Amino acid sequence: MTRPDELTFAPLGGVGEIGMNLYLYGIGKGSQRKWLAVDLGVSFGDEEHLPGIDLIMPDIRFLEKERKNLVGLVLTHVHEDHFGAILDLWPKLKCPIYATQFSAALFRAKCEAERNPPKIPVTVVPSGGKVDLGPFNVEFIPVAHSIPEAHALAIRTSVGVVLHTGDWKIDKTPIIGKPTDERRLRELGDEGVLALIGDSTNAVREGTSPSETEVAKTLAELVKNAKGRVAVTTFASNVSRLRAVADAARAVGREVVVVGRAMERVVQVARESGYLDGVQNFRGADLYGHFPPDKVLALCTGSQGEPRAALARIANDDHPQVTLNKGDCVIFSSRTIPGNEKSVGGIINGLIKQGIEVITDRTHLVHVSGHPRRDELREMISWVRPQLLIPVHGEALHLFEHAKLARACGVPKVLTCVNGDLVRLGPGDPAIIEQIPSGRLYKDGNILEDAKSRAVVERRKIAFAGCAFVAIALDAKGELADDPEVELVGIPEKNTAGEPLDDLVFELVISTVETLPKAKRRDPDAVGESVRRAVRSALNEQWGKKPLCYVHVLTV
Ligand SMILES: [Zn+2]
Ligand SMILES: [Zn+2]
């Protein structure tokens, strides 16, 4: 007798963190499983812990091995944490990709902006439509979020139906796009849902997230009252927000100037997709200077303080076309992503010092989150009535609170897991049944590095305490054949007594070699190691920090 199929779920990214989403659904048994991948996103590195690393991606070793059993990659929406790793990782998988029209168009535009645009085919599925992918049938159910065309996925299998919510909120007046499809979700609940895999981002926040329409009202009011120039920065992909800003400008006769490439790209795709129908034409940055201060509004990239983006350059008076002066106003219609506080703070303080008014979401309703707060989570559970709930898309605290809320709502089974867990959803009791390989990859320049690789660890150490390089030449008897070479990089020149540290190290290297026993001196490795230890401990004594130290021993 053949055993029945098993439906499994395995996060490879996105659980225990916000970012780098990659979820797998499996059906079958053992090596016979077919896999469906949902989303393939990135996280962003922070300069302090990961110097030089901009992007972090899920390690897809497991999927590469299972490539022939992978029926496809489905995208819920095109925020970077859900699709940002495709350019780098798809070549290892070469699987079909499915997304709705706007998502596919924005992805294509992103590919075309590459130096060598890759050819990655995407099959367009209509919003609300279904697609058969091997043993999975996937339905794209519209949900409100902070980007057009976000979808929850109803994944139908022989074992049962899973609702993968993706990122969502309940916004009955989302400005553009469809509100969350309550009717369809209730119908799904009537059909019976085995498992709900859901967004936990705002599970610690009580109440309901305000609507985009309320943000639009605030923006209109602020723009109306502004006397000088106005600059608004927001996430480029938030097309509702772009529309709200455009409406606010039009109401008071201001022209909208678009500044920044990511913003231009989204505006173009949104126009082609019909999401900016009826919105006035925007102007290029080159025309900014032609309009009087009270007749212009700059819509800029750079809400996260990115140093090369439009806003940072404007704030530093470093933008060729767009300038701001005393009495002008900058609105941050955005939230600062954790890790970016310092860069954003730097820009805000810089603007204030120039006499520019700065408005943020700390004082005005100029931004709302695209994720569900607790009342919305409760509503979703009441519509879908799942047998099992697994919180995802959150840090440990968010997952924990979402799980607790689900139990309090009477969800019969609630399971929390971590990246790399293979979870049986059914039949039978849900359980973590196996571990699959998981981890992180760093994009370091053009190279994808294993997170365990030395490069970043060494850079962090060098950033903290510099590096000492020593070169020694030994003759056949183990005597110094010449003066040692000492190079100190990222290390202070003088100690507190004002003595040059490189001289001290130089003398120390000579005395260390000369005091070594004869036999040891003929072993270059032993000499190198003794010198290395001596140099590090001497610098620690002088300076209070232990730098990296490399000793090269040549025998002549
Ligand atoms: Zn999102
Ligand atoms: Zn997300």
Side-chain angles (χ1 to χ4, degrees):
M1 196 184 97
T2 54
R3 286 186 293 172
D5 278 347
E6 215 173 38
L7 174 61
T8 49
F9 167 70
L12 286 179
V15 178
E17 63 198 338
I18 293 178
M20 203 178 95
N21 292 283
L22 169 56
Y23 305 100
L24 304 184
Y25 290 92
I27 191 131
K29 268 262 173 202
S31 61
Q32 300 302 308
R33 281 194 185 98
K34 294 283 180 206
W35 298 100
L36 172 72
V38 175
D39 293 339
L40 187 53
V42 291
S43 289
F44 298 98
D46 80 275
E47 222 16 69
E48 196 179 332
H49 298 104
L50 301 173
I53 301 296
D54 293 330
L55 296 179
I56 307 167
M57 324 193 169
D59 184 336
I60 55 163
R61 264 169 304 165
F62 176 78
L63 265 189
E64 280 179 81
K65 221 176 87 233
E66 289 287 321
R67 218 175 82 175
K68 63 177 192 317
N69 293 319
L70 177 62
V71 298
L73 166 65
V74 180
L75 304 182
T76 58
H77 65 295
V78 285
H79 273 148
E80 290 294 329
D81 61 324
H82 295 260
F83 92 127
I86 299 176
L87 280 182
D88 287 291
L89 298 184
W90 184 82
K92 297 174 192 286
L93 301 174
K94 296 203 165 69
C95 61
I97 302 177
Y98 301 85
T100 58
Q101 187 273 333
F102 175 83
S103 300
L106 198 61
F107 176 64
R108 209 177 312 121
K110 188 184 174 185
C111 290
E112 279 160 15
E114 287 290 295
R115 211 173 308 154
N116 294 310
K119 290 216 164 30
I120 304 180
V122 176
T123 304
V124 173
V125 180
S127 179
K130 293 178 185 171
V131 59
D132 276 316
L133 302 172
F136 305 93
N137 176 274
V138 182
E139 177 181 349
F140 288 66
I141 301 177
V143 290
H145 186 43
S146 41
I147 189 169
E149 295 187 17
H151 293 92
L153 305 173
I155 303 168
R156 290 183 175 77
T157 70
S158 55
V159 177
V161 181
V162 176
L163 181 71
H164 184 100
T165 67
D167 295 2
W168 66 282
K169 68 184 282 189
I170 296 174
D171 185 341
K172 296 202 160 81
T173 50
I175 300 191
I176 60 155
K178 302 172 189 167
T180 297
D181 194 344
E182 176 181 342
R183 190 187 54 84
R184 192 71 198 107
L185 290 164
R186 283 181 185 278
E187 281 170 7
L188 205 68
D190 295 339
E191 186 183 329
V193 169
L194 179 68
L196 186 156
I197 314 290
D199 180 355
S200 310
T201 316
N202 281 343
V204 292
R205 304 191 66 179
E206 250 337 315
T208 298
S209 184
S211 168
E212 280 292 336
T213 303
E214 291 175 56
V215 173
K217 277 187 207 142
T218 315
L219 288 171
E221 196 62 28
L222 288 168
V223 173
K224 193 174 108 192
N225 294 334
K227 304 272 180 297
R229 298 184 183 87
V230 176
V232 182
T233 184
T234 185
F235 300 104
S237 58
N238 192 334
V239 181
S240 290
R241 204 66 60 78
L242 306 189
R243 187 165 192 141
V245 172
D247 289 348
R250 183 157 63 177
V252 293
R254 286 181 186 257
E255 296 281 349
V256 175
V257 166
V258 175
V259 198
R261 234 169 303 153
M263 194 69 82
E264 289 166 13
R265 195 194 304 160
V266 174
V267 166
Q268 195 189 340
V269 172
R271 287 218 185 264
E272 286 164 8
S273 306
Y275 286 115
L276 292 174
D277 283 358
V279 170
Q280 73 271 32
N281 280 333
F282 298 159
R283 310 291 188 143
D286 51 324
L287 288 176
Y288 176 85
H290 292 255
F291 302 112
D294 62 344
K295 291 288 171 242
V296 69
L297 181 150
L299 190 50
C300 327
T301 54
S303 67
Q304 296 309 308
E306 304 93 322
R308 290 180 301 266
L311 187 65
R313 298 186 61 194
I314 296 168
N316 291 331
D317 221 351
D318 180 29
H319 197 280
Q321 289 133 346
V322 180
T323 55
L324 291 173
N325 294 310
K326 201 169 172 179
D328 292 341
C329 172
V330 174
I331 302 172
F332 280 77
S333 185
S334 56
R335 168 185 157 265
T336 305
I337 295 171
N340 297 338
E341 293 91 347
K342 273 189 196 158
S343 345
V344 175
I347 290 177
I348 291 177
N349 289 322
L351 289 166
I352 303 244
K353 281 183 199 156
Q354 295 175 53
I356 294 163
E357 188 187 1
V358 177
I359 290 165
T360 70
D361 69 340
R362 277 175 275 182
T363 52
H364 294 75
L365 185 59
V366 287
H367 178 70
V368 285
S369 163
H371 301 275
R373 294 194 190 172
R374 294 172 68 86
D375 281 346
E376 295 161 87
L377 294 173
R378 290 186 185 105
E379 276 209 75
M380 177 65 90
I381 289 169
S382 76
W383 298 339
V384 176
R385 291 152 276 154
Q387 288 302 304
L388 162 69
L389 185 143
I390 300 181
V392 297
H393 202 287
E395 294 169 4
L397 173 69
H398 310 122
L399 305 175
F400 173 78
E401 288 295 340
H402 193 185
K404 212 163 86 178
L405 176 142
R407 282 188 203 103
C409 287
V411 176
K413 298 167 200 159
V414 176
L415 186 146
T416 50
C417 57
V418 298
N419 293 335
D421 283 344
L422 181 68
V423 181
R424 180 181 63 224
L425 302 178
D429 273 339
I432 296 164
I433 53 173
E434 242 178 82
Q435 299 299 308
I436 62 176
S438 69
R440 298 167 160 244
L441 300 173
Y442 295 152
K443 183 142 190 210
D444 190 356
N446 300 323
I447 298 169
L448 278 182
E449 282 263 59
D450 192 292
K452 290 183 207 81
S453 82
R454 282 169 33 201
V456 177
V457 177
E458 285 173 354
R459 285 211 291 270
R460 198 164 50 219
K461 285 185 184 161
I462 292 169
F464 178 71
C467 193
F469 298 95
V470 178
I472 305 166
L474 295 178
D475 63 19
K477 284 186 244 146
E479 309 280 348
L480 282 170
D482 204 341
D483 280 349
E485 292 276 347
V486 173
E487 187 93 47
L488 305 183
V489 179
I491 294 172
E493 274 177 55
K494 292 173 181 167
N495 65 8
T496 46
E499 298 158 321
L501 283 173
D502 54 357
D503 286 356
L504 292 175
V505 172
F506 178 86
E507 297 298 336
L508 173 78
V509 172
I510 294 174
S511 64
T512 305
V513 175
E514 284 176 350
T515 51
L516 281 174
K518 269 235 159 69
K520 208 171 179 185
R521 259 194 265 166
R522 276 193 284 268
D523 175 357
D525 289 345
V527 174
E529 184 54 22
S530 302
V531 169
R532 197 182 70 85
R533 281 165 191 249
V535 169
R536 291 188 81 211
S537 85
L539 281 168
N540 188 30
E541 215 168 277
Q542 297 287 330
W543 181 28
K545 286 186 177 191
K546 270 189 176 178
L548 287 181
C549 179
Y550 293 98
V551 181
H552 293 272
V553 181
L554 303 169
T555 43
V556 291

